[in-house]
């Protein structure tokens, strides 16, 4: 090999490093495989979480770029009713404007043989072509020529629709038949094909929504250097009821809305990194005595400390890189199969696509995490390189004495763990922003508590062993007489898995309980809800002239009230606006009240001029109960006062509740987003629902749900939104259980000689097998108890963070069944897996003791 | 000219629970280049510690150990490590370890990697030294882990000699059960040392292992007694403890 291809690193040839690693691989293939599997699982968890996170905002980002093209400014309507299209004509004549492309974007539903799929209808005209560059805009020609709808492949497949078919589109409460002009395949329209955008001509969109002459967006490309001037001119032209913002403002709004989801998954990513690291560390720890002797042997042959470090780093880097590459492939698979689910609650307000985005930097981060974890985990033999240690320390340490944790260290670690919990709790109570870092620190603190619990348990076992006749117990007491780093590492993995599951699972359950209570109260103002259907927050309006009156004549109907609502962009937030009719009681979910008096707030809301606001919105605008603020309504700034401060009512950017009469006046629309039907006493909702459906006749664009049906839909949506978290938690637990099981199995297998020597002393196979299972149960038990205790603490912190930072309703409750289920799952998987190798090791013949 | 290695009032203690054991007590001795020295002592007499001090593996608590006139305690850990790469070789039969599947030639060659040799260059040197010790091409390709105790010891000697040291330190080097094999090994060792002008420092609890050395010393309870009379049995006083720490 040429010298340039075989450089010296710290005086050792690269080929020599490779040779030494080949020797290691040949002799310790199983350990390397075990370590590599651990690293791969950790990297897979990290990558899948990162991909799921970046895909959510990344696909929306790509989609927005497709739509806005070279536009840098936008004029956006504040309601579904849009603004007059003449504004587009006026804007085009402004000096400094190169292109002004009007568009219409509304939530509609397409109906196909396989069912209904909610989409965002995007109406564009020839001006969009001039925004240039984007393939999407070339669609206008096709859309116009086809005279129908271009559907993305994802939507067409889900609904079972093919090109050229005539399908039903439900828009604004009415059903329309439209021809499908084309299906946008993934080969040519990657981003659009996986998007929820159905493209059509502006004229068709206006016809479907029954909003002739109206548009919801105007994308403007100013000439170079004219941005500020054009922005000012646009504000003057559009007046006070329409927003002028950056063309990509929607991405900032989505980022804000998706933040709680992203932060939660980031916490999981952090825990995944730690689990991956500990899996690798644990696998490496099993080989520490052997590797220490190998290192000592090399040192005795003249390898200096730099060469040893290079050797350790080289071996770890190769292992880390190969295992991480496998982890990246596995993670990509995982994100495809499980994690890449777009939260339904976001698709009602944002054009979020299902396109998976695997960025090079994401892969590099995952690879980097894997390699770093492996290198760190492999450096423990480097402790022997300290100048104070004899060169041949590991050769003399045949009993592994240096792996034993001293009593004083156990006490110190226990105190350190207790102090860490106290410090983290105080830090997070003072500054909730520290919660994620605190959660990670708390997870690490679990490790410090394990030796102390081992010590207590070992004493208890000794006490029991002196009083109970059990040969297995005697063996276990003897084996656990000293606490080793290996036992702590094994228990540590179990602790970390339980910690993650209890903390995150508990916070997730709190959130679901809070959301369930919120939506139960929110929906109980009606026995039957008439809406446009779909996974909405009752924000899609429909034309309902005379409908309320006709429904009120249906037998059994006591009253029909018009509910209104929608989204409104205020600063970085897309706020959920709720406008209830005066007859609704309560006007807002009282259980969600944080500040103010419920009865007084109800009274003030009905009177007009007052609103309840979410805590996040209130703190951003420094509002207190009684404070004044303005909302940017379609009629201009709407003056309001704060009647009460609530949670975010389940919508991350926050909610504002105001009187229906005020909404009608400031939004200049009578169109409801729901009709609330109250039934007469004794009328069953199911029967009444059938009567209401009959009364609606051919208005197929409307859906009718009983209170129970609608509540089920909201519950399903909130669970779907948190599905990724549940799946990661489960994967984490299963991965950790398998890792603990494999590490325990390997540790048991390495002890065959010791077990054989016990056989010489008269122990039978059954006794040894029971002893191994008991010892494994003790190790697992220590990890599980510590993990559960710290997990409950982490759960309390996470729930508090959810309430304070995200404004979600998440009342803290210790879910003991969930904790026990987690413990049982981990224990069952691990013990089931180790029972066979345990039996095989226990059956080792007595002669084994002389062979090793 | 300075002796190859010089001990001056060297003491070494090791912790033993709550107490400290004095393992070497004010030991002084010198070894000149090319001279072979045998250290006779029973188990736990301090002979292994003496050898580990001579190889720079551990440092004394007090006193000085000089190699080629240079104070070992004053050297950096790296410099002491470099001594093991060239000037000093240490061998103990108890430290035998070979990876499963590793051939004898690779086992010897690997020890030369620290000198910056490629594997091919290291193998070439390993073949030469193995050949000198009577291990031919067939033996070089054998699996190291399956060697007999006798062959294992010869391979360890090859490993030690491969780095061409000036001082060879051997702690109970031959544990083979056959007396004939043992004698042949020591004869080979002495011949190799003579040919290379090597200084030898051998420790054993069997007087037979020390036959033919130039200087014989005995050690007991950490104290060194010199004798020119081979086969002399030196009375061994009881081990002393130096009190609580």
């Amino acid at each position: 090999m040429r010298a340039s291809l075989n450089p010296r690193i710290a005086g050792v040839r690269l080929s020599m490093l490779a040779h030494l690693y080949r020797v290691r691989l040949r002799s310790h293939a199983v350990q390397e495989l075990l370590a590599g599997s651990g690293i791969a699982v950790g990297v897979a968890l990290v990558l899948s979480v990162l991909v799921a996170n970046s895909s959510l905002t990344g696909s929306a980002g790509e989609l927005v770029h497709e739509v806005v093209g070279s536009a840098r400014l936008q004029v956006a309507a504040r309601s579904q009713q849009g603004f007059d299209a003449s504004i587009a004509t006026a804007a085009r004549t402004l000096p400094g404007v190169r292109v002004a492309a009007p568009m219409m974007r509304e939530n509609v539903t397409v109906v196909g043989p396989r069912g209904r799929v909610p989409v965002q209808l995007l109406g564009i005209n020839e001006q969009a072509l001039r925004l240039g560059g984007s393939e999407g805009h070339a669609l206008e020609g096709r859309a116009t020529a086809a005279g129908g709808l271009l559907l993305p492949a994802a939507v067409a497949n889900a609904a079972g629709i093919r090109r050229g078919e005539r399908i039903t589109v439900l828009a604004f409460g009415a059903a329309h038949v439209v021809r499908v002009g084309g299906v946008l395949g993934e080969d040519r329209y990657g981003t659009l094909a996986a998007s929820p955008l159905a493209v059509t001509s502006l004229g068709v969109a206006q016809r479907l929504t029954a909003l002739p002459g109206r548009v919801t967006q105007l994308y403007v490309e100013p000439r170079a250097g004219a941005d500020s001037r054009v922005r000012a001119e646009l504000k003057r032209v559009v007046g006070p009821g329409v927003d002028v913002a950056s063309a990509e403002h929607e991405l900032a709004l989505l980022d804000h809305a998706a933040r709680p989801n992203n932060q939660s998954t980031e916490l999981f990513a952090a825990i995944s990194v730690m689990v991956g690291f500990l899996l690798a560390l644990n696998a490496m720890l099993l080989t520490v005595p052997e590797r220490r002797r190998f290192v000592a042997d090399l040192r005795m042959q003249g390898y200096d400390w730099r060469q040893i470090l290079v050797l350790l780093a080289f071996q770890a880097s190769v292992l880390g890189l190969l295992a991480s590459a496998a982890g990246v492939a596995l993670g990509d698979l995982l994100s495809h199969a499980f994690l890449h689910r777009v939260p339904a609650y976001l698709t009602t307000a944002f054009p979020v696509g299902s396109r998976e985005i695997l960025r090079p930097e994401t892969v590099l981060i995952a690879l980097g995490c894997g390699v770093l974890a492996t290198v760190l985990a492999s450096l423990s033999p480097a402790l022997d390189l300290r100048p104070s240690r004899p060169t041949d320390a590991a050769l003399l340490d045949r009993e592994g004495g240096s792996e034993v944790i001293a009593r004083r260290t156990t006490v110190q670690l226990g105190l350190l763990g207790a102090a860490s919990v106290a410090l983290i709790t105080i830090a997070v109570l003072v500054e909730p922003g520290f919660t994620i870092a605190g959660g990670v620190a708390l997870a690490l603190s679990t490790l410090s508590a394990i030796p102390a619990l081992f010590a207590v348990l070992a004493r208890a076992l000794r006490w029991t062993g002196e009083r109970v006749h059990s040969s297995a117990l005697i063996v276990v007491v003897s084996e656990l007489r000293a606490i080793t780093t290996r036992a702590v590492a094994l228990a540590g993995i179990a602790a970390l898995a339980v910690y993650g599951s209890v903390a995150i699972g508990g916070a997730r359950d709190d959130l679901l309980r809070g959301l369930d209570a919120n939506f139960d109260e929110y929906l109980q103002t009606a026995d039957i809800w008439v809406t446009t259907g779909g996974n909405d927050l009752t924000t899609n309006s429909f034309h309902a002239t005379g409908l309320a009156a006709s429904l009120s004549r249906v037998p059994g109907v006591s009253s029909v009230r018009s509910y209104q609502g929608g989204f409104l962009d205020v600063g970085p937030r897309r706020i959920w606006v709720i406008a209830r009719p005066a007859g609704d009681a309560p006007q807002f979910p009282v259980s969600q009240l944080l500040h103010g008096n419920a009865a007084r707030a109800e009274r003030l809301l009905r009177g007009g001029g007052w609103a309840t606001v979410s805590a996040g919105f209130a703190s951003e605008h420094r509002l207190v109960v009684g404070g004044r603020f303005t909302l940017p309504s379609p009629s201009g700034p709407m003056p309001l006062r704060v009647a009460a401060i609530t949670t975010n009512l389940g919508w991350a950017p926050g909610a504002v509740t105001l009187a229906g009469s005020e909404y009608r006046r400031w939004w200049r629309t009578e169109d409801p987003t729901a009709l609330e039907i109250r039934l007469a006493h004794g009328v069953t909702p199911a029967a009444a629902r059938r009567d209401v459906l009959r009364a609606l006749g051919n208005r197929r664009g409307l859906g009718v749900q009983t209170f129970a049906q609608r509540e089920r839909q909201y519950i399903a949506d909130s669970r779907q939104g948190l599905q990724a978290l549940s799946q990661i938690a489960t994967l984490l637990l299963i991965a950790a259980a398998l890792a603990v099981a494999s590490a325990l199995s390997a540790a048991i297998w390495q002890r065959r000689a010791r077990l054989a020597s016990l056989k010489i002393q008269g122990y039978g196979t059954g006794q040894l097998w029971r002893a191994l299972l008991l010892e494994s149960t003790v190790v697992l038990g220590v990890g599980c108890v510590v993990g559960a205790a710290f997990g409950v603490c982490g759960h309390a912190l996470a729930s508090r963070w959810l309430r304070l930072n995200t404004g979600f309703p998440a009342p803290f409750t210790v879910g003991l069944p969930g904790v026990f289920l987690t413990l049982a799952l981990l224990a069952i998987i691990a013990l089931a897996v180790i029972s066979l190798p345990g039996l095989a090791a226990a059956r080792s013949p007595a002669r084994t003791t002389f062979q090793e | 000219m300075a002796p190859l290695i010089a001990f001056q009032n060297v003491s070494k203690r090791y912790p033993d629970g709550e107490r400290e054991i004095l393992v070497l007590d004010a030991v002084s001795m010198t070894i000149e280049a090319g001279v072979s020295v045998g250290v006779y002592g029973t188990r736990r007499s301090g002979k292994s510690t003496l050898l580990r001090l001579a190889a720079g593996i551990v440092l004394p608590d007090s006193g000085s150990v000089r190699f080629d006139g240079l104070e070992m305690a004053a050297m950096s850990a790296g410099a002491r490590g470099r001594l093991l790469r060239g000037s000093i070789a240490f061998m103990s039969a108890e430290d035998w370890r070979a990876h499963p599947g590793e051939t004898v030639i690779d086992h010897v060659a690997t020890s030369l990697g620290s000198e910056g040799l490629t594997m091919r260059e290291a193998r070439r040197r390993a073949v030469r030294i193995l050949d000198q010790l009577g291990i031919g091409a067939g033996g070089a390709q054998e699996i190291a882990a399956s060697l007999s105790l006798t062959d294992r010891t010869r391979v360890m000697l090859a490993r030690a000699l491969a780095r061409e040291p000036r001082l060879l330190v051997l702690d109970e080097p031959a544990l083979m059960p056959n007396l004939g094999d043992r004698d042949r090994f020591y004869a080979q060792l002495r011949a190799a040392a003579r040919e290379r002008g090597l200084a030898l420092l051998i420790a054993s609890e069997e007087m037979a292992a020390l036959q033919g050395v130039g200087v014989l010393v005995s050690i007991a309870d950490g104290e060194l007694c010199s004798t020119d009379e081979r086969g002399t049995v030196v009375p061994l006083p009881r081990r002393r403890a130096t009190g609580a720490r």
Side-chain angles (χ1 to χ4, degrees):
Chain A
M1 194 186 290
R2 287 219 320 265
S4 59
L5 297 174
N6 190 16
R8 281 197 181 96
I9 306 168
V12 184
R13 292 278 184 192
L14 186 61
S15 61
M16 183 62 78
L17 292 173
H19 168 76
L20 288 169
Y21 193 43
R22 259 201 312 276
V23 170
R24 167 153 189 82
L25 275 181
R26 260 206 311 264
S27 56
H28 297 94
V30 175
Q31 283 98 327
E32 291 291 292
L33 196 65
L34 185 68
S37 312
I39 298 156
V41 168
V43 169
L45 285 170
V46 173
L47 185 102
S48 52
V49 168
L50 289 177
V51 169
N53 264 14
S54 59
S55 296
L56 188 62
T57 43
S59 73
E62 285 186 355
L63 208 53
V64 167
H65 289 305
E66 286 277 325
V67 172
V68 307
S70 55
R72 297 195 295 279
L73 294 172
Q74 70 163 317
V75 176
R78 289 176 180 167
S79 73
Q80 283 183 290
Q81 281 65 34
F83 54 84
D84 201 298
S86 63
I87 287 180
T89 316
R92 212 170 296 138
T93 60
L94 290 175
V97 170
R98 203 184 80 80
V99 186
M103 296 188 194
M104 169 161 273
R105 222 171 71 197
E106 298 284 3
N107 289 337
V108 301
T109 302
V110 294
V111 185
R114 289 195 200 136
R116 297 173 169 216
V117 179
V119 296
Q120 288 205 348
L121 183 72
L122 179 69
I124 54 179
N125 70 4
E126 75 288 348
Q127 288 296 317
L129 279 173
R130 298 192 58 211
L131 288 175
S134 164
E135 273 181 335
H137 296 126
L139 296 169
E140 192 279 334
R142 285 185 62 188
T144 312
L149 208 57
L150 298 177
L151 285 181
V155 172
N157 291 339
I161 297 168
R162 279 177 301 187
R163 181 168 183 259
E165 283 183 345
R166 297 179 76 79
I167 59 161
T168 302
V169 175
L170 309 175
F172 278 70
H176 308 267
V177 175
V178 184
R179 201 171 68 84
V180 176
V183 172
L184 308 176
E186 213 160 301
D187 47 343
R188 193 171 160 200
Y189 303 99
T191 309
L192 280 174
S195 79
L197 286 185
V199 185
T200 188
S201 69
L202 185 58
V204 171
Q206 288 170 333
R207 181 172 63 79
L208 292 176
T209 55
L211 292 169
R214 308 287 289 181
V215 293
T216 57
Q217 255 103 6
L218 176 69
Y219 287 106
V220 178
E221 183 193 342
R223 294 187 193 285
D227 288 41
S228 318
R229 188 154 50 95
V230 169
R231 185 186 276 256
E233 282 294 305
L234 283 173
K235 278 186 177 165
R236 185 183 59 75
V237 169
V238 301
V242 182
D243 288 324
V244 177
S246 147
E248 294 179 357
H249 181 57
E250 194 160 24
L251 290 181
L253 296 168
L254 172 61
D255 190 50
H256 197 286
R259 199 172 295 161
N261 194 53
N262 289 348
Q263 283 173 331
S264 315
T265 41
E266 274 163 18
L267 182 62
F268 263 104
I271 290 177
S272 302
V273 171
M274 278 192 306
V275 167
F277 174 71
L278 281 177
L279 296 186
L281 181 70
N282 178 65
M284 293 287 187
L285 273 178
L286 291 172
T287 65
V288 160
E290 177 273 320
R291 287 189 311 124
R292 282 182 63 212
R293 283 194 289 277
F294 175 56
V295 165
D297 185 45
L298 287 179
R299 289 190 74 198
M300 295 295 285
Q301 304 302 320
Y303 283 77
D304 66 28
W305 64 271
R306 274 182 298 265
Q307 294 175 324
I308 300 290
L309 282 182
V310 164
L311 180 73
L312 290 174
F314 176 81
Q315 298 195 346
S317 302
V318 173
L319 173 66
L321 209 58
L322 292 177
S324 301
V328 165
L330 182 64
D332 191 38
L333 209 68
L334 274 180
S335 66
H336 267 303
F338 296 105
L339 306 178
H340 194 51
R341 301 275 188 278
V342 179
Y345 69 90
L346 283 178
T347 57
T348 62
F350 296 98
V352 185
S354 58
R355 183 175 159 87
E356 187 186 280
I357 296 176
L358 186 60
R359 295 198 174 107
E361 58 263 34
T362 311
V363 174
L364 283 177
I365 289 172
L367 281 176
C369 283
V371 173
L372 185 69
T374 318
V375 170
L376 287 175
S378 70
L379 286 180
S380 55
L383 293 174
D384 284 337
L385 300 177
R386 285 171 293 171
S388 58
R389 302 278 290 164
T391 311
D392 60 347
L395 297 176
L396 301 176
D397 184 24
R398 293 180 202 283
E399 297 299 316
S402 65
E403 288 175 59
V404 173
I405 299 173
R407 205 171 65 184
R408 202 168 65 175
T409 313
T410 302
V411 173
Q412 285 169 344
L413 282 173
L415 292 174
L416 179 72
S420 303
V421 173
L423 277 176
I424 293 164
T425 307
I426 292 168
V428 171
L429 286 177
V430 173
E431 175 50 62
F434 289 154
T435 302
I436 289 183
V440 173
L442 202 58
L444 289 174
S445 306
T446 55
L447 300 179
S448 61
I450 289 172
L453 190 59
F454 258 127
V456 172
L457 205 61
R459 190 169 289 186
L461 284 173
R462 268 200 302 277
W463 186 88
T464 313
E466 284 163 14
R467 288 158 181 79
V468 175
H469 293 285
S470 166
S471 51
L473 194 56
I474 290 170
V475 174
V476 173
V477 167
S478 158
E479 295 299 318
L480 292 179
R481 66 194 181 284
I483 307 158
T484 60
T485 49
R486 185 182 305 194
V488 171
L490 289 169
I493 290 192
L496 206 68
V498 172
Y499 168 84
S501 296
V502 170
I504 307 301
R508 172 189 165 277
D509 289 346
D510 285 347
L511 185 55
L512 285 177
R513 265 192 298 273
L515 289 172
D516 290 352
N518 166 52
F519 288 129
D520 178 79
E521 221 175 330
Y522 165 77
L523 294 170
Q524 68 179 229
T525 51
D527 298 314
I528 287 180
W529 287 80
V530 179
T531 65
T532 57
N535 299 324
D536 58 45
L537 281 171
T538 326
T539 50
N540 292 337
S541 61
F542 55 90
H543 308 306
T545 315
L547 190 59
S550 71
L551 289 179
S552 64
R553 288 193 291 274
V554 171
V557 169
S558 165
S559 66
V560 180
R561 298 185 300 277
S562 281
Y563 169 104
Q564 289 173 301
F567 292 113
L568 180 69
D569 298 344
V570 187
R573 293 167 184 270
R574 182 158 284 181
I575 294 283
W576 180 20
V577 179
I578 298 166
R580 286 185 172 278
D584 272 8
Q587 287 281 303
F588 66 98
V590 177
S591 64
Q592 306 304 307
L593 182 73
L594 297 177
H595 302 288
N597 177 284
R600 182 169 178 269
E602 285 270 334
R603 202 171 56 248
L604 292 172
L605 275 179
R606 285 199 179 84
W610 293 75
T612 68
V613 297
S614 292
F617 180 85
S619 91
E620 198 169 275
H621 295 84
R622 294 179 183 165
L623 293 175
V624 292
V625 175
R628 295 173 189 277
F629 68 105
T630 56
L631 271 188
S633 79
S635 303
M638 174 188 190
L640 286 164
R641 294 185 70 183
V642 178
I645 293 174
T646 65
T647 68
N648 66 17
L649 306 187
W651 174 244
V656 170
T657 307
L658 43 88
S661 56
E662 297 254 286
Y663 186 89
R664 279 194 292 280
R665 184 153 63 91
W666 287 91
W667 265 253
R668 290 184 295 218
T669 179
E670 295 288 328
D671 286 350
T673 53
L675 290 175
E676 296 177 275
I677 298 176
R678 191 54 96 188
L679 301 176
H681 188 67
V683 178
T684 60
R689 177 176 171 272
R690 283 193 293 275
D691 292 339
V692 169
L693 272 172
R694 243 192 316 275
L696 285 175
N698 60 357
R699 298 196 63 144
R700 291 172 52 212
L702 293 176
V704 182
Q705 291 169 301
T706 63
F707 160 75
Q709 285 172 325
R710 192 152 180 82
E711 186 178 44
R712 271 201 298 279
Q713 180 198 311
Y714 272 74
I715 287 173
D717 284 350
S718 53
R719 273 152 187 74
Q720 189 269 352
L722 296 167
Q723 196 180 24
L725 293 188
S726 313
Q727 284 170 337
I728 298 174
T730 310
L731 283 174
L732 192 69
L733 193 62
I734 293 172
L738 290 175
V740 171
S742 61
L744 277 171
S745 303
I748 288 170
W749 195 248
Q750 284 179 347
R751 279 169 43 201
R752 279 174 307 153
R754 165 92 184 126
L755 295 170
S757 78
L758 288 170
K759 273 207 167 160
I760 291 174
Q761 294 162 35
Y763 282 91
T765 299
Q767 287 171 319
L768 291 180
W769 187 54
R770 282 195 298 279
L772 286 174
L773 289 184
L774 180 60
E775 189 186 332
S776 303
T777 307
V778 169
V779 172
L780 273 176
V782 167
C784 288
V785 168
V786 171
F790 279 69
V792 169
C793 185
H795 166 193
L797 295 181
S799 286
R800 184 171 176 275
W801 174 79
L802 277 173
R803 288 193 302 275
L804 295 182
N805 272 38
T806 68
F808 273 103
F812 173 66
T813 313
V814 180
L816 283 179
V819 174
F820 287 126
L821 188 69
T822 304
L823 298 183
L825 190 65
L826 184 77
I828 289 169
I829 294 175
L831 288 176
V833 173
I834 62 168
S835 60
L836 284 181
L839 184 59
R843 292 175 67 177
S844 298
R847 66 172 181 276
T848 310
T849 193
F850 304 113
Q851 291 172 343
E852 303 205 352
Chain B
M1 196 171 138
L4 186 63
I5 192 152
F7 279 62
Q8 188 68 44
N9 280 326
V10 173
S11 295
K12 183 73 184 173
R13 292 175 172 80
Y14 283 130
D16 181 23
E18 296 297 307
R19 302 184 310 165
E20 267 193 348
I21 298 286
L22 181 65
V23 183
L24 279 189
D25 190 4
V27 167
S28 296
M29 67 179 244
T30 56
I31 301 175
E32 300 294 337
V35 173
S36 58
V37 176
V39 181
Y40 168 74
T42 57
R43 281 176 64 81
R44 298 172 69 84
S45 58
K47 59 184 188 305
S48 293
T49 302
L50 181 78
L51 266 58
R52 292 168 76 231
L53 281 163
I57 295 168
V58 288
L59 291 174
D61 293 331
S62 62
S64 98
V65 180
R66 288 173 176 269
F67 184 83
D68 246 357
L70 296 173
E71 176 62 54
M72 283 218 190
M75 292 182 194
S76 67
R80 277 186 287 118
R82 275 193 293 280
L83 283 181
L84 284 171
R85 189 185 296 171
S87 301
I88 304 173
F90 184 91
M91 174 181 161
S92 165
E94 283 196 342
D95 290 345
W96 167 261
R97 59 183 313 282
H99 293 286
E102 190 178 38
T103 58
V104 165
I105 187 171
D106 279 2
H107 184 70
V108 177
T110 301
S111 70
L112 298 168
S114 61
E115 296 179 24
L117 301 182
T118 64
M119 200 57 197
R120 185 182 295 174
E121 291 163 347
R123 278 200 187 105
R124 226 175 279 145
R125 219 154 104 183
V127 165
R128 213 164 41 233
I129 194 73
L130 285 167
D131 197 43
Q132 285 168 11
L133 292 176
I135 302 171
Q141 292 304 327
E142 277 191 52
I143 300 300
S146 62
L147 293 177
S148 67
L149 278 176
T150 306
D151 290 340
R152 187 185 287 186
T153 312
R154 282 202 297 160
V155 170
M156 288 180 84
L157 179 62
R159 228 184 173 198
L161 293 176
R163 294 196 305 283
E164 295 166 4
R166 293 164 59 204
L167 171 65
L168 184 52
V169 182
L170 302 106
D171 186 9
E172 211 66 83
L175 294 176
M176 58 272 270
N178 186 306
L179 287 177
D181 284 347
R182 211 183 302 181
D183 289 344
R184 269 191 293 280
F185 170 76
Y186 283 117
Q188 196 168 33
L189 172 65
R190 282 193 295 271
R194 206 169 36 245
E195 283 163 20
R196 290 168 172 76
L198 274 181
L200 283 182
L201 177 59
I202 315 175
S204 178
E205 55 183 293
E206 289 183 7
M207 195 57 90
L210 306 175
Q211 283 176 6
V213 295
V215 178
L216 180 65
V217 295
S218 74
I219 187 167
D221 202 16
E223 287 178 28
L224 212 57
C225 318
S226 179
T227 171
D228 291 333
E229 208 176 325
R230 285 175 197 160
T232 301
V233 177
V234 180
L236 304 175
R238 269 187 327 129
R239 175 168 291 272
R240 291 170 302 167
T242 56
R245 262 193 287 181

